[in-house]
Amino acid sequence: ATSLGSSPSTSSRPSRSASAPKEEMVQLSKERHEALLESEILHFRYALKPHPMTLQQILVQHDPERLREFLLEELPIRWARRLHLVESL
């Protein structure tokens, strides 16, 4: 079974607030985990569209938070599309 929840890398992060809900571990079978991943990949591939941006536009970003938000939104979409291309070979 696969465990989802807080990972060791997230435990070293500062707490968001004292009232934040505690994360709980969820046990999933391998099959269920794979089905959830496939569902998420399909969502990113079909429901979301990438925003066109050149490498030059990315490199001139001076606000790290803005670049972080862009990458958090764009990378899963683009990776899902690339994964589909690789799987179709």
Side-chain angles (χ1 to χ4, degrees), residues 35-86:
L36 288 169
L37 286 175
E38 184 64 25
S39 174
E40 189 165 89
I41 290 168
L42 289 172
H43 170 71
F44 282 117
R45 186 169 69 208
Y46 293 116
L48 303 174
K49 303 293 182 219
H51 298 89
M53 184 177 247
T54 66
L55 180 58
Q56 185 63 33
Q57 289 171 310
I58 294 171
L59 294 175
V60 297
Q61 290 292 323
H62 297 291
D63 180 9
E65 185 59 29
R66 188 172 172 200
L67 179 59
R68 177 185 170 277
E69 291 299 320
F70 172 78
L71 293 174
L72 286 173
E73 182 177 338
E74 290 295 312
L75 288 179
I77 298 168
R78 294 166 189 259
W79 284 340
R81 289 170 179 264
R82 182 63 54 96
L83 183 60
H84 174 69
L85 289 173
V86 170

Side-chain angles (χ1 to χ4, degrees), residues 7-52:
S7 65
S9 63
T10 60
S11 62
S12 63
R13 293 183 188 162
S15 175
R16 290 186 197 120
S17 73
S19 63
K22 183 179 177 182
E23 291 185 28
E24 295 182 29
M25 298 295 280
V26 177
Q27 296 293 320
L28 299 174
S29 68
K30 183 177 180 178
E31 294 79 19
R32 180 65 178 145
H33 182 247
E34 289 175 3
L36 288 169
L37 286 175
E38 184 64 25
S39 174
E40 189 165 89
I41 290 168
L42 289 172
H43 170 71
F44 282 117
R45 186 169 69 208
Y46 293 116
L48 303 174
K49 303 293 182 219
H51 298 89

